[in-house]
Amino acid sequence: MSPSPGGEGRPGQAWSHRSGKVDLRPLAPGDWSPGALAARAQIAEAFSRFGTAFDEARVDVLCSCFTEDALFEVGLGSAEPRTRFGSRQEIAEQLPGRIEAQADQRRHVMGNVLVEELDLEGGTAKALAYSVVTVASDGLSLGASVIYTSELRREDDGCWRFSSFFIGMDEYLPTSRGTP
């Protein structure tokens, strides 16, 4: 990680907003119709299902959260991705080895899911979420603090899937045998 306003090797405060990765909108009236509530719940479930599937090394379930043409990126304290996959197939090919390289048990605790844009007619949404990731290995520790930014599409089966998914880690505990 490059030096930043947070100090040597630390992400600067509000790095995801200042870099343009997060466009947090003011609280405003929104669509809370039954259809919109259902979509918001399904979007929150997509985030939770991703985290739980990652923790359980279920790449098949994890991949079910993404569109065929999904863009999957990971950054560390920066909007500049260190890792980039350009399709569900590439995610399916690359993630098993990365998950297997971890020498511990991870648990993603998802929260603060905000649906920033929701177009029910067009079947598109933009959402973000936070996560803390615990690590069980020779004790219990905090492995990462994360912000996720995403674009989603409602597909023909009615599921909301990530078409663009950015994992922005504020910090990462390197307890794996490989790289994040």
Side-chain angles (χ1 to χ4, degrees), residues 10-24:
R10 293 187 202 139
Q13 184 181 39
W15 69 264
S16 55
H17 164 72
R18 291 185 174 131
S19 68
K21 274 297 183 187
V22 171
D23 181 20
L24 187 62

Side-chain angles (χ1 to χ4, degrees), residues 47-127:
F47 281 109
S48 294
R49 190 164 301 279
F50 165 83
T52 303
F54 191 99
D55 298 339
E56 294 301 317
R58 290 290 308 274
V59 176
D60 60 322
V61 174
L62 186 148
C63 286
S64 75
C65 298
F66 293 90
T67 61
E68 284 292 331
D69 62 345
L71 175 62
F72 180 100
E73 299 176 312
V74 181
L76 182 57
S78 168
E80 188 61 36
R82 296 168 49 135
T83 301
R84 176 179 282 147
F85 306 135
S87 67
R88 183 189 304 163
Q89 180 65 34
E90 195 172 356
I91 295 167
E93 291 168 357
Q94 296 295 320
L95 282 186
R98 291 169 187 261
I99 292 171
E100 186 179 305
Q102 295 173 344
D104 51 47
Q105 176 61 61
R106 310 276 165 112
R107 296 288 181 210
H108 286 70
V109 181
M110 299 300 221
N112 293 8
V113 177
L114 296 175
V115 177
E116 293 290 276
E117 293 180 25
L118 179 60
D119 179 352
L120 289 176
E121 188 158 322
T124 61
K126 290 185 179 181

Side-chain angles (χ1 to χ4, degrees), residues 3 9 18 33 35 45 48 53 67-68 70 86 93 98 106 130-131 135 158 166 171 174-176 178-180:
R18 291 185 174 131
S33 66
E45 182 170 329
S48 294
T67 61
E68 284 292 331
E93 291 168 357
R98 291 169 187 261
R106 310 276 165 112
Y130 284 166
S131 178
V135 176
F166 178 80
E171 189 58 80
T175 59
S176 66
T179 59

